Amino acid sequence: MKTYIVTGTSRGLGAAMAEQLIHPEHHIICISRKKNKELCRKAKEKHTALFEIEADLTVHAQIPAVMETVFNQLPLPDLHSFFLINNAGMVHPVDFIEKASASDMAQNISLNLLAPMILTSEFIKRSAALKLEKRIMNISSGAARKPYEAWSSYCASKAGLDHFTRCTAEEQKQREDGVKCVSIAPGVIDTGMQNHIRGLEEGRFPEQSRFIRLKEEGKLYSASLAAEKLLEVLHSETFGQEVLMDIRNV
């Protein structure tokens, strides 16, 4: 039995990954602000154990309790591999730094960086006694490696996630049963975030025309295709050999 924890499954990439993981031999635990009824329906159809936990991951004090609930759901002793996919994220605020509010910047860093840090910490700590394959995939962004005007919070949070993953991977490779870690940019995906960017008033985001052009030229990944590629990486025999990855180079 393989168990997957996936965050941000109410829509977009997270929902697509959770849907593709639905299989009778998989145990899926979804963490998001809202439940996804369609996922539950599809899991039931395919006789798959899928559990949803409603949680706001920017409320950091509740994350240990969320992970306690997760670990109480584990299908022991049938579990033979365990995965954490830190997908939940946000791009807001999209604005020049002097116009971004303190609360918006704090929320961005809270969800994009601090939440996966705490989830990773809880995952490693609570699974330490489990002698099985353990992997963490952090969903990063090309914005972690390239600066964008009006995306300073998003770029900074994803760059932080990349480096956090590198540090964690260094710690874990020293351990006999260490967790393999990867931070991967999923490419430009046609999700609600892209809709939001294309709909901003002119001048608010200098790169807006580029993303509009990518949409018009059909160069955006669908959430389904991106999910498929990411899960191929997650299950690859070489997972963890390269800590920072970009799906476009796979």
Side-chain angles (χ1 to χ4, degrees):
M1 180 71 72
K2 296 179 180 179
T3 291
Y4 300 84
I5 306 167
V6 189
T7 67
T9 54
S10 61
R11 59 183 179 177
L13 181 61
M17 284 193 287
E19 180 178 344
Q20 291 184 26
L21 288 170
I22 292 174
H23 186 280
E25 295 182 2
H26 292 173
H27 184 91
I28 307 166
I29 302 170
C30 301
I31 305 172
S32 59
R33 292 191 187 197
K34 296 180 181 179
K35 291 184 177 181
N36 187 325
K37 294 181 180 179
E38 186 65 11
L39 275 180
C40 288
R41 183 188 66 77
K42 291 179 178 179
K44 188 174 181 179
E45 284 181 353
K46 296 186 179 181
H47 308 288
T48 301
L50 185 147
F51 301 90
E52 291 191 290
I53 301 173
E54 287 184 289
D56 181 351
L57 293 176
T58 65
V59 183
H60 303 132
Q62 75 174 7
I63 294 179
V66 168
M67 290 298 276
E68 177 74 19
T69 300
V70 167
F71 274 74
N72 287 338
Q73 297 281 355
L74 294 185
L76 300 173
D78 297 326
L79 181 64
H80 67 74
S81 51
F82 198 12
F83 307 88
L84 169 63
I85 304 174
N86 282 313
N87 164 74
M90 64 186 301
V91 68
H92 183 78
V94 180
D95 220 333
F96 293 97
I97 191 61
E98 71 274 15
K99 296 180 180 179
S101 72
S103 61
D104 284 347
M105 287 188 284
Q107 188 175 40
N108 184 291
I109 301 298
S110 292
L111 183 59
N112 292 350
L113 178 56
L114 289 178
M117 288 176 69
I118 299 169
L119 286 162
T120 295
S121 172
E122 291 289 324
F123 180 89
I124 291 173
K125 175 173 60 180
R126 293 174 185 272
S127 68
L130 300 176
K131 306 304 181 183
L132 44 78
E133 181 73 18
K134 294 172 284 188
R135 298 182 177 186
I136 297 174
M137 174 178 277
N138 292 324
I139 304 302
S140 183
S141 170
R145 303 148 202 182
K146 176 184 175 182
Y148 287 90
E149 295 177 80
W151 264 10
S152 56
S153 295
Y154 184 67
C155 290
S157 64
K158 292 299 187 179
L161 184 63
D162 276 359
H163 204 53
F164 167 73
T165 308
R166 293 173 70 186
C167 292
T168 304
E170 283 295 311
E171 295 175 357
Q172 291 299 303
K173 75 180 184 181
Q174 308 300 329
R175 303 177 187 180
E176 184 178 350
D177 297 302
V179 180
K180 295 178 181 178
C181 304
V182 163
S183 188
I184 185 166
V188 187
I189 307 170
D190 196 7
T191 62
M193 187 180 95
Q194 283 294 315
N195 287 333
H196 174 70
I197 291 168
R198 292 192 299 268
L200 291 170
E201 65 252 29
E202 188 175 349
R204 187 170 174 183
F205 180 49
E207 291 281 336
Q208 183 183 40
S209 61
R210 170 175 171 259
F211 290 107
I212 291 173
R213 188 169 62 253
L214 288 173
K215 172 68 172 178
E216 292 173 345
E217 294 175 355
K219 293 182 178 179
L220 299 179
Y221 282 114
S222 68
S224 177
L225 179 58
E228 180 182 341
K229 288 178 171 289
L230 289 167
L231 293 176
E232 286 177 3
V233 171
L234 181 67
H235 296 129
S236 169
E237 292 183 1
T238 60
F239 183 90
Q241 291 182 9
E242 185 180 355
V243 178
L244 297 188
M245 300 183 68
D246 190 311
I247 202 69
R248 291 164 290 194
N249 299 328
V250 175

